[in-house]
Amino acid sequence: MSDTREPSETAPAKKYGIAIIANDRVIDWLLPFLESYRAWSSSIPLYLIPYDDNLTRTRLVAEAYGVEVVSLDSGELDALARRLYPLNPGHRRRLRKLLALTLPLDEVIYLDVDIILLQDFTKLLGHIEAGKTEFIVSARVTDYIYNSRFRDYDYLRDALLFNDGFFVTSRSVLSLQDFYDVITRDERIFHAVRQRGGLFAQPLTNFVVHRQALKIATLSEIVPHASEESYYKSDGILASPDGPEDRKGNKVYFCHWPGIIGMPRHRRPIDIIWHQYAEKAKARLKALGL
């Protein structure tokens, strides 16, 4: 009997990537980040979104590490930033991190540049599924998102609040257009509930994710034995041969010094790791004549 079945078609491989936003002003943070990326997750393509045009040194460093500096149209997003934050021209470019949602990727990991990687991030990919897991964050937070008025809204009252210095998602479940549409519809509510005080992208990202009712998961729910710790001041982080662990023996995937504070001061074990990556980066660039 002849086989009349049609030849099976192999589904195209998904495209994954990591996105950061940077410029020359944060080069001292960018270098240890890139060195940690090289150590742990260089198999994942890395895309650098320009914060502004101050990129002379940044472009040289990106080339040395094989990082693509992307050219993306930020016109509409910048207009939204001006509309939402008319009194803060120096900081509203922080919304340009949202251009990560326009990269030609099936899933993207976004990371602030004041972070170092401490584990293999390939384990974080391949988990996004519409209606099931749509937005992955490090852990639940309570501060720097909304003021007390958020409790007036059912879709915000019990929402999982998160730090947007790290997230994993797909443009198929959260697009930049969603941000424009939500603000067009609910800008008054956003301004009523958002926390003030030098906060820009973080309340907005939370608000849109919550308004869209995305299915949020924490890192520990997605990756076995992953820690929810990532803050540089977290107590109980211990060194191990396979990377830092929390008190429960779970792997710390990254460490974050949020807000571009002063340089780490060697006070904590995690600060020392940051400085080790910084020194390796400087030595690498020196060897390249940069």
Side-chain angles (χ1 to χ4, degrees):
M1 179 183 290
S2 62
D3 190 344
T4 59
R5 292 175 298 176
E6 293 292 329
S8 62
E9 295 185 4
T10 303
K14 287 189 175 182
K15 293 185 65 177
Y16 301 118
I18 298 173
I20 59 173
I21 182 171
N23 66 359
D24 285 2
R25 184 179 179 187
V26 295
I27 199 76
D28 289 336
W29 288 99
L30 177 62
L31 289 175
F33 170 86
L34 290 175
E35 195 63 33
S36 71
Y37 159 77
R38 185 180 186 277
W40 288 104
S41 298
S42 60
S43 64
I44 309 172
L46 177 58
Y47 302 89
L48 191 152
I49 300 167
Y51 183 83
D52 55 23
D53 295 330
N54 182 21
L55 296 169
T56 303
R57 178 79 168 153
T58 298
R59 289 187 183 279
L60 294 173
V61 168
E63 183 177 0
Y65 281 89
V67 176
E68 181 179 349
V69 179
V70 294
S71 178
L72 301 171
D73 183 1
S74 65
E76 189 172 4
L77 182 59
D78 290 344
L80 176 65
R82 289 193 298 272
R83 172 177 160 187
L84 295 180
Y85 308 113
L87 303 179
N88 302 96
H91 296 100
R92 57 192 178 210
R93 291 191 190 94
R94 295 177 187 178
L95 267 63
R96 289 187 179 181
K97 67 167 62 179
L98 301 176
L99 292 173
L101 301 174
T102 70
L103 292 169
L105 302 170
D106 295 294
E107 288 183 24
V108 63
I109 301 171
Y110 173 79
L111 292 162
D112 280 353
V113 75
D114 49 352
I115 277 173
I116 54 171
L117 280 57
L118 299 166
Q119 290 291 326
D120 179 4
F121 268 48
T122 61
K123 298 176 183 178
L124 279 56
L125 296 166
H127 302 285
I128 300 298
E129 183 179 347
K132 185 176 180 181
T133 301
E134 297 170 321
F135 198 84
I136 301 171
V137 301
S138 177
R140 181 183 295 272
V141 302
T142 57
D143 300 322
Y144 310 115
I145 311 294
Y146 301 132
N147 60 46
S148 61
R149 294 186 65 185
F150 82 96
R151 297 184 182 89
D152 297 339
Y153 300 90
D154 291 341
Y155 58 87
L156 299 179
R157 189 176 301 117
D158 297 317
L160 191 157
L161 311 184
F162 56 88
N163 184 308
D164 75 338
F166 160 85
F167 61 79
V168 187
T169 193
S170 170
R171 60 180 181 166
S172 66
V173 296
L174 179 65
S175 69
L176 194 53
Q177 186 62 47
D178 291 329
F179 282 77
Y180 303 142
D181 293 344
V182 167
I183 291 302
T184 296
R185 184 176 69 241
D186 292 323
E187 182 175 358
R188 180 189 60 80
I189 298 174
F190 171 66
H191 284 303
V193 301
R194 72 177 175 92
Q195 184 67 270
R196 264 66 172 180
L199 300 168
F200 300 91
Q202 183 151 296
L204 178 63
T205 305
N206 273 262
F207 185 77
V208 173
V209 168
H210 297 149
R211 194 67 181 101
Q212 294 294 97
L214 295 191
K215 303 295 185 182
I216 306 174
T218 62
L219 187 56
S220 65
E221 294 171 331
I222 296 300
V223 181
H225 309 297
S227 175
E228 293 189 356
E229 298 286 2
S230 62
Y231 186 41
Y232 78 105
K233 287 185 178 181
S234 295
D235 294 327
I237 294 179
L238 304 173
S240 82
D242 298 322
E245 298 178 349
D246 65 18
R247 290 177 174 176
K248 298 178 181 179
N250 294 320
K251 299 298 182 183
V252 178
Y253 267 70
F254 67 95
C255 185
H256 192 190
W257 288 259
I260 304 290
I261 60 171
M263 296 292 107
R265 297 185 177 183
H266 293 91
R267 291 181 176 176
R268 302 173 178 85
I270 212 75
D271 294 339
I272 294 172
I273 297 174
W274 185 94
H275 280 282
Q276 290 171 343
Y277 280 130
E279 291 302 317
K280 286 182 180 179
K282 290 177 183 177
R284 188 179 308 281
L285 296 182
K286 183 177 180 180
L288 295 172
L290 297 176

